[in-house]
């Protein structure tokens, strides 16, 4: 927890859980759902944002309806000490959804979405493998997925 940040309690966790389901929920509806006053809800939301617990609001999309018909997880092995530079490039590549630094036989796990397998091939073979510091990749094609 950041210095000076208030501890997160059960009400804060309920607020975060409610907003994860519907980030567009009004403060009034949020207050009703977690059984607090609107003033308390506003104050808690402001504090959760200020303390960095809530870092932003976003939209979830169905990638298939957006035309991203294929996806894969790509393991990336990198040169010793190059993770910051590799991460900076990977974050900018089109189709890269997430990058995780992991403790495994490889160094990074990258989630990639593409319109089709040809585009996926180009992202992996021409873009990710061309990043300075990348030694090797291995790709796992996703057949289906579910969100929790």
């Amino acid at each position: 927890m950041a210095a000076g940040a208030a501890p997160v309690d059960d009400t804060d966790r309920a607020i975060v859980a409610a907003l994860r389901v519907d980030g567009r929920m009004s403060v009034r509806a949020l207050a009703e759902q977690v059984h607090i006053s609107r003033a308390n809800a506003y104050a808690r939301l402001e504090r959760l944002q200020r303390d960095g617990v809530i870092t932003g609001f976003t939209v979830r999309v169905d990638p298939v309806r957006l035309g991203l018909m294929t996806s894969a997880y790509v393991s990336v092995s990198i040169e010793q000490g190059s993770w910051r530079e590799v991460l900076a490039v990977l974050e900018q590549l089109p189709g890269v959804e997430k990058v995780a630094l992991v403790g495994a036989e490889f160094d990074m796990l990258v989630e990639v979405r593409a319109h089709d397998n040809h585009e996926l091939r180009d992202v992996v073979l021409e873009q990710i493998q061309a990043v300075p510091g990348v030694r090797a990749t291995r790709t796992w094609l996703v057949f289906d997925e579910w969100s929790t």
Side-chain angles (χ1 to χ4, degrees):
M1 188 166 21
V8 175
D9 63 15
D10 288 341
T11 301
D12 293 332
R13 283 187 273 283
I15 289 170
V16 170
L19 290 173
R20 290 182 80 178
V21 172
D22 181 3
R24 295 180 59 182
M25 178 182 297
S26 71
V27 175
R28 178 177 177 222
L30 178 64
E32 289 174 3
Q33 185 170 333
V34 298
H35 310 292
I36 60 176
S37 70
R38 266 192 291 178
N40 191 0
Y42 274 111
R44 283 175 178 265
L45 272 173
E46 183 178 300
R47 180 181 48 79
L48 290 168
Q49 290 176 23
R50 182 186 65 241
D51 290 351
V53 175
I54 295 176
T55 59
F57 296 87
T58 188
V59 63
R60 289 186 301 197
V61 298
D62 180 332
V64 172
R65 290 180 186 253
L66 196 58
L68 302 172
M69 306 301 284
T70 191
S71 64
Y73 291 102
V74 181
S75 67
V76 180
S77 297
I78 61 174
E79 295 172 1
Q80 186 84 24
S82 66
W83 70 270
R84 286 179 182 89
E85 295 80 11
V86 172
L87 174 62
V89 175
L90 291 178
E91 288 178 318
Q92 302 304 312
L93 293 182
V96 171
E97 294 280 320
K98 289 184 183 176
V99 180
L101 190 62
V102 297
E105 64 272 11
F106 49 87
D107 304 295
M108 294 179 160
L109 189 59
V110 180
E111 182 181 3
V112 178
R113 293 195 183 277
H115 291 95
D116 55 35
N117 285 344
H118 296 286
E119 184 177 276
L120 177 65
R121 178 201 61 210
D122 291 343
V123 171
V124 175
L125 299 180
E126 295 181 17
Q127 296 181 44
I128 294 176
Q129 288 185 0
V131 173
V134 169
R135 290 184 310 149
T137 63
R138 175 177 263 167
T139 303
W140 292 276
L141 188 62
V142 174
F143 292 131
D144 208 346
E145 59 189 320
W146 298 265
S147 294
T148 56

